[in-house]
Structures are given as C-alpha cells and as structure tokens.
Amino acid sequence: MTPRPRRARALRSAVAGLIALAGLTGVAGVAAQSPAATPAAPDASFSAERITLQTHDSFALTPDVLAGFQAQTGVAVDILTGGDAGSMVNQAILAGDRPLGDVLYGVDNTFLSRALAAGIFEPYRPAALGDVPADLQLDPEGRVTPIDFGDVCVNTDLSAFGGDGQPPLPQTLLDLTKPEYKGMLVVEDPGTSSPGLAFLLATIAEFGEGDTVNPAYGISWQEFWTALRANDVFVASDWSDAYYARFSGGANEGDHPMVVSYASSPVAEVVFADPRPATPPTGVLLDGCFRQIEFAAVLAGTQHPAEAQAFVDFLLSPAVQADIPLNMFVSPALSTAQVPADYAAFNSVPSAPLSLDPALIDANREAWIEAWTQLVLR
Amino acid sequence: MDAARPALSRRAALLLALPPGVFLAVFFAWPVASIVARGLFPAGGFDAGAVLAVWTRPATLDVILFTVALALGATALTLIVGLPAAWVFARFRFPGKSVARALVTVPFVLPTIVVGSAFLALLGPRSPVNALLVAVGGPDAPQVRLDGSTTAIVLASIFYNIAVVIRLVGGLWAHLDPRAEEAARMLGASPWRAFRETTWPLLRPAVLSATSIVLLFTLTSFGVVLLLGAPGQATLEVEIYRQTAVLLDLGAAAALSVLQLVGVFVLLLAHARAQERLAVEQRLRPTADVERTPTTRREKAAVGAILGGLAVLLGLPLLVLVERSFAGSRGYSFAAYQALVEQPRRAGLFVPPAEAIGNSLAFAFATLLIAGSLGLCAALVVGYRRGWLPQTFDALVMLPLGTSAVTVGFGFLIALDSPPLDLRTSVLIIPLAHSLVALPFVVRAVAPVIRSIDPRLREAAAVLGAPPRRSWREIDGPIVARAALVGAMFAFAVSLGEFGATLFIARPDRPTLPIAIYRLLGLPGATNFAQAMALSTVLLILTAVAVLFIERLRGVGPSPF
C-alpha cells in the first residue's frame, strides 16, 4: 500500500543530507588543518617527522599556539588521550618500556611517586627551569618538569552568604563543621574524582592524625570528616555532577552553596558567561587549599628523545605558559610568564597552600580512601 | 522439524563463525586474558591467597549484592514498562509512528551527565515539581528527593534501556500473526489469557533477548550509578574501574574481573540454552498485515495511555535538555548554537562541532560495517545451528557487553602492543572497541527472528524445485535482512553514544560528540553548560535522523517485509 516513490524520495533526501553533512565536515577538516600547515624554517637538527604527546582529556591549548611547535621544529605533534590524569598515568605505567608516546604531560603530585617508581621517565632538565619556583620542583633527579599548578579549594555561592538571615562566609576548614553551614557543602568522592582526592589530602595535611594532629585544631582529619558527615555533607561522584548539578553558584542547578572546586573556577564563571558579570558570582575559601602541580616528562624508551625534550622546552616557553591559564584554568609554572588579565584579576592564590610528600600520598592513597569511605559513606 | 535439513551446513557454519570468532579472540579474549593474567600472576607465580582475600572481603560481597539487586530490579522494571510499549509499536498504526520510534531510541545515546542533569531539573531540589509541593503544602511539604536514591538509578536505567525492549521485542511482535489471538478471543478467552496462550509462547525468545541485553547493560552500568547513585553504592563495574584506573591494583582488579567474567558467562550460557529451547518456528507475517489502527474505545484508551506515559518518561527529560540549550540569562535564544559555530577563541576545551559530528559519524559508520557484518555472520550460526557448540559461541559473542570496559581498555594496552597489531595508537581502536559493544545487539536482533522462520516454507520451495540458495534468498533473506537493519541501527546508535568503552583506551585525539560534551562540562561557566546542552541536542537530532534513515532502507529491499 505504501507508495514507493515517497520512500525513494525520502531516501534520496536522506542521502543528500548525509552527503552535505560529510561535505561540511570535510570542509571543516581542511579549514582546521590549514594553520598547522603554515611552513616555517624548521630546525634541521630534528629527524622525526612527528612525535606523540600522551596526556589526559583536559589537555587544551589554543590551536595556533600548539602549531607553534611544528613551526619552530618542523616536528608535528599527535595527541593521545586516555581518560583523567590517574588513568592516563596508569596506562603509561602499564605500557612500560614500549611507551605509547614520546612525551607525557599531566602527571600530578598525587600520582608522581608511582610514575617515578615505575621508571617510565627519562631525566631531562630544561634550561628554563631556573625561572620555575623551587617549591614546584619535586623530583631531585630531574625526571619531571613542572608546567603548571592549581589549587583545589572550597568555592562559595556569594549570593548565599552575608545577607539578611544568611551566615557569614566561612573562613576556615573547621568552620564547615559549624551548624550554620549544615547541609551546604558538596564534595567529590576521592575514590573516583581527582579534586575529591585533593580535598581529602588537604584535610589530612591540615588536621593530621595520631601524633601529627595539628595542635591549632586538636582534632584528627578523621574526626573532621565525622563532623562534616554529621553536618550533612553531600558526596557527589565527580566534579561535573558536584558543580553543575549540586552547587547553586553561578547559573547552576543545585541547592548547595559550597562545593569543592578550583581556586580558578571563579575566572571561568566570568569568562564563560554571557553577559559577562563585573565580578565572579562565586568566591573561594582560601584556607585549606590543596596544591596540585602538573608535570611533563620524556617517556623512557622513546625513539625520539631530542624531539621529546624540545616539546618539554616548548611547554615551558613563554607563549605556551601564557596560553595555559585561560585554556586549562591553572597557573603557569614559569614565574616570568605573562598571565592573561582576566585570569590575573579573578583567580585567587592561597597564601599557604597545603601539600603532602608524593611518596606519602602514594603509600597511603588506598588506605586513606578506604578509611574515608568507611567514615563518610558507610 | 527434525526431518528438515538444517538451512546451514556444518561447514558453512564453521566458515561463518570464523570472522567473528577471530575478531573476538584478537580484540576481546586476548586483551582480557592478558590483563587478568598480569593481575593474577604478579611475579610469575599465582597467589591464590591474594585472590581469595579479595573475594572474601566484606566490601566485595556488598558490591556484588548491590550490583545484582540493581540489575535485576532495573531489568524487571524496564520490561514491565517496555512490553506494553512494544505492543503498541508492534500492533498499532498511529500518526507520527516512525518519528516516535526513532525518538525512543534517542535516550540510548545521550551522555549520562546530560541525562542526569535533565532528571535533576525535573525532580531535583529546584524543580517545578518541588516548587509546586512547597506552594501547596508550605515550606515543610514533603519533597521529591532524587539525590542518591536507588529510585533515581532505576528510573534512569528504564530511560536508557526501554528502546532495547521496544525494538527487540517489537521487532518480532510486529511479524506475529494476530489471527491466533483473535481466534482465541472469539472463542471466549479473556484478552490476557488469549495473549498468554497464543502470543506469549511465540514472543518469549525476543523477550529473553531483550532481557539479556538490558541485564548485561545494567550489570555493567557505570555512568548512571556514578552520577545518580550515592557514591557509597559501588557496583562491580565501578569497583573494577577504581582498582584498575585509580589504584592500579591489577591483582584486586583481576580477581574481581574473573568473578564478573565467570558470572556473566554462566548467565549467558543459560540464556543461550533457553533461547534454543523456547524457539518456535512459525509463519511470520509482513508488518503491514499485522498493524492496524486502534478501534474499540478500550484499545484507544490503552494505546493513548501507553504513548502518553512514554511521552512523559522519555519526552520530558529530552524536552528539558532542548529547553536548556536555548535558555540564557537574557531569555531564550540561539546564543549557545551560535557560539558553537563561531568558535570563540577563548573556549578552552572547545572542539569544533563539525569536527565532532564528522568523527562521530565516521566511527558510527565503521562500527555499523564491522559489527553489522560480523554480527550477521554470528547470528546466522546461532540462529540456524543447534547444540552446545553454537550455544557457547552465542555466549562468547555476548560476553564483551558484560565485561568491564576498563578491563578491555587496559587489556588493549598490554596485548595489542607489537606489530603487526600495534593498534594502541591507531584510530581504528575506537570503532573496534565500539564494535565489541555493538556486536551483541546485532546478534540478538537477528538470531531470534531466524529461529522463528518456519522451515516448512523452505521445504515447500524445495519441493517446488527451487535450489536451496534460491529458497533461502526468497524466504529467509528478506526476514533476515530486515532484522539485520534493526541490529545495524543499534550498532550505529551504540557507537554514536558510546563513551564508557573508549574512555579507558589511550586513543588518538579524535573527539566525538559525547567527548565534546564532557569537555564542555569539565569547566565551570554558564555558557559551557548551555553549549553542552546544545551539542546534546545536536546529538539527539543526529541520532533520530540516522535511525529514521536506517528504517527507511527497509522499503528499498525486494520485498515489503
């Protein structure tokens, strides 16, 4: 009964649509490739035509800036991503002496010790290391180069504090256990989320345990979390869920006015808003921030060590360092880097960021997460 | 039926089993065996004590109980909601049916974070439902709380999986001769009894197929649990992910993986045996003869109620998502879409949408080709042959769907690392991983239909002098082709929406639509959120169009089957 021609017509139009779509993407592909194809004076000292950068899913640079590496060296860069930082580092460790790439970017201080112990990096010290603050340089053997750092801090919805009938903004981590902040905080599960783990580490560094309990507070990190639980802390599985679905700041969906995020998040709340507000709608609790440092390194077993070293240099170059803040929302490691005005204006830098020895983190990660899970979730 | 010569000789079956068999051996069995062996034999020796220690942890038992309970509950509810919907789609003609059928498939491809946020918008703390409750009952009125409840996980599972029930069960139901049921009614049987005694026995294989897929999907569900569940309620899948990707405790991960593999395989063997036992050969009818417009008032009411229910359950969250893509602080606008096209330089993790669409379509086409052809081979073997060997093969083909994605992904890393198979950095790895997940859908869409074909038709053709090849082409061919299209449609959709399996594979940076959406949601800011919703809307439309297109292909074949 169904008339054939109608179907044939539908089929034709569908095919035409798909062809048009394919054409569109083809054009886009060509357009996307053109900047990288800009010829420059390639450095003759490099023999490889391309190298592979192994990194996490959050890696981002302005395409023109990234293309600068090929312009300078004549070496093209293929990017290989593999989930978040932890997953990516573990993949590099599993690949062992048959590395997936030539150079790795994105291992942070919470996974550093494990990567170093696995021996997956070759020592390399870029010349620019002299302009990187010493407290960012965590490997005395020079196997990893600090590229950027950021602080994981509690963010606040400024519209929920300081007004009529509203509590004042909290000033310390310990404040979060007070009754006036009951049911206000969202944290991420440290078992599945990197900022979640960083915040747990912040509390361990701040409060201590056993003999190392901070006398300023007199409670262990475990007691702190027990108090947070009693104060109805909400645990989200990952950052996106915590921030977009549970947090009330900015234009978000949730009803919790405090969330564990980054010190740079208010920058994004300004930059990625239309219209742009004069000041961020969210603030940062500058007490109890955990500092995450991200490193790059030459992968052991690479066939192209010279090119890989050149890429580490490139990541520490002024152009890339200035491009990092508004792409990945972390601060450049190079102290002389030109920080974009928006980032400088709205980013907060804690005066005393917390940190822990990477070896200590690696030795205790599983036990700490397990203890936390028992305290907060069970 | 024993008198009938099997439509597929043993030799032909072996030849057909070879391509999917080799594919599974290389891209599934070998990687999984490698990573599990690495975990079980850490220093060359097998440490039985360590494995036992993992199995006997109280936490392990909790995880398994929760995983199984969740999967059973979600599957049962999906069937309860999905079967009436499958009935409506199989039996009745109504305006906009093909679009509605395409739309029920859409939830299947949407990223979990997007679905989660749509659910929260509908039922979360600031939702209109709760606002209404407060308006009516005052500030102390009871509130709908989705946060971390098992209800939320189950709701989301139904939302995701109902398409499987509607398509796989409806696919067979639409060909079942309605006259037997009508005759039973005429003889005075109640509608329920008429259904139970005439249609149900014929439908069981398809119901079982859909059940197996939904069960595997929920057993290994990852995103939904992480997003909507309370984090304390880890499933086996989440636990294997944690042990592998976060802690790199390959020993514990391997011990859990073995548990998962064995459990799922036993389940699948039982499923394959039941499939064979329940298969009923019958005259399949063209859909055009089966579907009709609802006539009685009761029928109209039932069809209306079921379609209305579907519209609320599936339509509302989708509408919310689309609404979000247009909403901004200055009212409704195309701003988010404009921003996607204009590509503002400062957008950090920005992926040009044309590039993401192109990548997604390319991978989906490749998956359709790989999983479609391999799945068809496997389905012919499983559908036409009987006995323990085809049953085992059936279970093996389904196994990847019930295996942790992180196990397969990390397995790729250590198994496929030497030429000629150093695929670790090849772009091929993405459609190959998608195909592992898509293959079971193709097999489950085709095999039950093949088993339902009445061999007497073929015998009659042989008596009339048709050579076997011709009788296959005339009788089985059109039916198989049609079922294969449903499978192909799922393969395409699986690839368009797949995120989990590729998440754990080191892969060349070819962002697909779901990955582009996750990147946007990885940074704070209202415009990022709006653009993520806009891209989700694009994904939604793309899927609906692709499904409609694949369905139209049906009309091109030699017979209107």
Side-chain angles (χ1 to χ4, degrees):
Chain A
M1 281 308 291
T2 325
R4 264 285 174 69
R6 206 175 68 85
R7 282 193 168 159
R9 209 164 49 232
L11 182 64
R12 264 203 307 276
S13 54
V15 168
L18 280 176
I19 289 173
L21 206 56
L24 194 73
T25 56
V27 169
V30 170
Q33 269 161 16
S34 53
T38 321
D43 191 323
S45 59
F46 297 116
S47 55
E49 279 179 21
R50 358 184 34 95
I51 56 166
T52 300
L53 165 68
Q54 190 182 359
T55 185
H56 51 56
D57 286 342
S58 306
F59 174 77
L61 287 176
T62 308
D64 288 350
V65 172
L66 186 59
F69 183 70
Q70 189 173 11
Q72 288 163 25
T73 61
V75 182
V77 182
D78 294 324
I79 296 171
L80 196 71
T81 53
D84 62 12
S87 173
M88 182 268 294
V89 169
N90 286 335
Q91 287 172 5
I93 292 173
L94 267 187
D97 53 4
R98 303 181 58 85
L100 292 160
D102 304 290
V103 55
L104 180 143
Y105 161 76
V107 57
D108 68 12
N109 46 330
T110 64
F111 284 98
L112 180 64
S113 175
R114 179 189 296 175
L116 291 178
I120 58 171
F121 301 135
E122 263 176 21
Y124 174 63
R125 290 180 203 267
L129 220 44
D131 288 329
V132 173
D135 57 355
L136 297 180
Q137 302 186 31
L138 296 186
D139 180 32
E141 292 175 44
R143 288 165 292 185
V144 293
T145 303
I147 302 296
D148 57 70
F149 65 93
D151 296 298
V152 171
C153 310
V154 172
N155 283 23
T156 49
D157 173 2
L158 293 177
S159 71
F161 298 94
D164 273 350
Q166 293 176 331
L169 279 166
Q171 299 301 317
T172 66
L173 279 187
L174 198 58
D175 281 351
L176 300 175
T177 61
K178 289 182 180 169
E180 61 249 52
Y181 302 115
K182 193 175 177 71
M184 287 194 174
L185 177 67
V186 184
V187 302
E188 296 87 0
D189 184 347
T192 49
S193 154
S194 148
L197 177 64
F199 185 63
L200 170 61
L201 296 175
T203 63
I204 293 169
E206 179 87 338
F207 295 102
E209 62 179 320
D211 301 341
T212 65
V213 164
N214 186 343
Y217 300 109
I219 60 167
S220 67
W221 67 266
Q222 291 96 334
E223 287 165 316
F224 170 75
W225 278 102
T226 307
L228 265 192
R229 180 182 187 166
N231 220 15
D232 283 350
V233 64
F234 184 89
V235 182
S237 60
D238 63 13
W239 180 88
S240 297
D241 180 34
Y243 198 86
Y244 277 115
R246 317 293 177 181
F247 178 48
S248 63
N252 297 310
E253 208 59 62
D255 59 350
H256 296 77
M258 293 192 280
V259 67
V260 170
S261 188
Y262 297 86
S264 62
S265 300
V267 184
E269 285 289 350
V270 173
V271 174
F272 296 118
D274 182 29
R276 275 177 61 135
T279 56
T282 57
V284 174
L285 167 60
L286 285 173
D287 180 64
C289 295
F290 188 80
R291 175 148 293 180
Q292 285 182 324
I293 307 166
E294 286 191 294
F295 303 88
V298 175
L299 281 160
T302 169
Q303 304 296 307
H304 312 297
E307 291 83 352
Q309 291 175 358
F311 194 80
V312 176
D313 288 344
F314 174 71
L315 286 177
L316 216 46
S317 68
V320 173
Q321 288 283 301
D323 195 48
I324 282 177
L326 284 185
N327 277 296
M328 294 191 267
F329 289 85
V330 284
S331 303
L334 202 65
S335 53
T336 55
Q338 195 80 40
V339 177
D342 280 336
Y343 190 84
F346 304 119
N347 183 44
S348 322
V349 183
S351 52
L354 300 164
S355 66
L356 286 170
D357 178 10
L360 193 70
I361 297 173
D362 199 50
N364 293 292
R365 183 194 334 259
E366 189 166 0
W368 282 339
I369 292 176
E370 184 53 38
W372 179 92
T373 304
Q374 292 298 335
L375 281 174
V376 182
L377 295 178
R378 298 277 180 252
Chain B
M1 68 182 91
D2 285 334
R5 205 166 60 89
L8 196 67
S9 71
R10 197 188 175 81
R11 229 178 89 109
L14 280 176
L15 275 177
L16 278 172
L18 201 62
V22 169
F23 172 79
L24 287 171
V26 175
F27 297 112
F28 177 70
W30 172 234
V32 169
S34 304
I35 189 86
V36 169
R38 179 82 71 99
L40 292 183
F41 305 93
F46 175 61
D47 187 355
V51 175
L52 270 179
V54 173
W55 285 351
T56 50
R57 275 182 206 165
T60 306
L61 188 69
D62 284 352
V63 161
I64 289 172
L65 284 181
F66 178 70
T67 307
V68 171
L70 177 74
L72 289 179
T75 307
L77 281 171
T78 308
L79 282 173
I80 289 170
V81 179
L83 286 177
W87 170 68
V88 168
F89 276 96
R91 283 291 194 232
F92 295 104
R93 219 173 276 140
F94 52 87
K97 183 173 172 179
S98 52
V99 174
R101 198 160 44 189
L103 283 179
V104 301
T105 318
V106 165
F108 196 70
V109 305
L110 292 177
T112 45
I113 171 105
V114 172
V115 173
S117 96
F119 268 86
L120 282 168
L122 281 172
L123 296 169
R126 287 182 173 184
S127 69
V129 175
N130 282 326
L132 193 73
L133 285 173
V134 172
V136 173
D140 295 326
Q143 298 271 293
V144 179
R145 297 299 298 203
L146 260 190
D147 301 354
S149 67
T150 315
T151 324
I153 308 178
V154 171
L155 257 184
S157 297
I158 295 177
F159 180 81
Y160 270 107
N161 296 322
I162 196 166
V164 176
V165 179
I166 292 180
R167 305 312 297 256
L168 291 189
V169 177
L172 184 62
W173 209 336
H175 295 295
L176 293 187
D177 199 331
R179 282 173 300 189
E181 199 172 322
E182 282 159 19
R185 290 280 287 132
M186 220 88 91
L187 293 171
S190 67
W192 171 241
R193 184 155 171 234
F195 167 77
R196 208 181 59 211
E197 296 192 356
T198 59
T199 307
W200 177 244
L202 305 178
L203 205 56
R204 275 188 305 195
V207 175
L208 200 60
S209 280
T211 308
S212 69
I213 295 243
V214 175
L215 196 62
L216 290 189
F217 240 57
T218 45
L219 270 178
T220 56
S221 68
F222 183 82
V224 178
V225 179
L226 270 187
L227 199 71
L228 290 172
Q233 302 169 312
T235 61
L236 194 52
E237 182 80 7
V238 172
E239 199 50 31
I240 292 175
Y241 157 76
R242 271 181 13 89
Q243 296 296 342
T244 311
V246 180
L247 301 173
L248 201 63
D249 185 346
L250 293 183
L256 294 174
S257 295
V258 166
L259 222 52
Q260 188 184 41
L261 283 165
V262 170
V264 168
F265 189 67
V266 167
L267 204 69
L268 285 172
L269 268 184
H271 164 256
R273 286 178 66 94
Q275 279 287 359
E276 196 168 300
R277 194 164 43 81
L278 293 179
V280 182
E281 291 155 348
Q282 55 192 304
R283 276 296 287 278
L284 294 178
R285 314 286 309 169
T287 20
D289 295 2
V290 174
E291 60 172 24
R292 57 189 176 78
T293 43
T295 45
T296 65
R297 189 180 288 180
R298 273 182 67 176
E299 242 174 40
K300 280 182 182 156
V303 169
I306 289 167
L307 288 175
L310 274 186
V312 171
L313 184 70
L314 304 185
L316 268 187
L318 294 181
L319 268 181
V320 165
L321 192 163
V322 175
E323 189 255 353
R324 288 306 162 80
S325 71
F326 290 106
S329 52
R330 287 183 288 206
Y332 291 104
S333 72
F334 282 95
Y337 294 88
Q338 249 167 345
L340 280 178
V341 177
E342 286 164 5
Q343 195 178 337
R345 266 181 50 90
R346 60 161 187 254
L349 298 170
F350 188 84
V351 179
E355 189 187 323
I357 292 172
N359 287 337
S360 275
L361 283 179
F363 291 139
F365 274 121
T367 304
L368 188 152
L369 290 180
I370 299 171
S373 53
L374 294 176
L376 192 56
C377 289
L380 291 171
V381 175
V382 169
Y384 283 118
R385 302 291 305 184
R386 294 174 157 251
W388 67 271
L389 204 58
Q391 283 170 13
T392 312
F393 184 63
D394 185 344
L396 281 176
V397 171
M398 300 282 289
L399 193 55
L401 196 55
T403 307
S404 161
V406 70
T407 309
V408 179
F410 275 59
F412 273 19
L413 268 184
I414 57 172
L416 306 175
D417 67 340
S418 37
L421 269 178
D422 190 1
L423 289 177
R424 297 178 307 170
T425 59
S426 158
V427 73
L428 259 180
I429 205 118
I430 298 169
L432 286 172
H434 288 180
S435 295
L436 279 178
V437 182
L439 201 56
F441 284 88
V442 181
V443 175
R444 285 279 78 85
V446 180
V449 178
I450 290 180
R451 285 214 178 103
S452 301
I453 298 172
D454 191 342
R456 279 169 303 185
L457 287 176
R458 224 179 288 121
E459 284 155 37
V463 170
L464 292 173
R469 196 167 299 221
R470 167 130 188 259
S471 76
W472 192 90
R473 205 172 58 222
E474 299 274 324
I475 292 160
D476 301 39
I479 302 176
V480 171
R482 168 106 191 245
L485 276 178
V486 174
M489 187 263 314
F490 268 116
F492 198 87
V494 161
S495 174
L496 271 187
E498 178 52 60
F499 182 69
T502 22
L503 184 59
F504 309 115
I505 294 173
R507 59 194 186 274
D509 194 33
R510 297 277 169 85
T512 58
L513 276 172
I515 288 176
I517 292 166
Y518 272 87
R519 286 201 185 165
L520 282 167
L521 291 178
L523 282 177
T527 56
N528 284 325
F529 184 78
Q531 285 179 31
M533 295 302 130
L535 264 192
S536 301
T537 306
V538 170
L539 177 62
L540 185 160
I541 292 167
L542 198 67
T543 308
V545 169
V547 170
L548 274 175
F549 172 71
I550 294 176
E551 303 234 333
R552 293 282 173 177
L553 288 177
R554 241 189 303 176
V556 185
S559 119
F561 228 104

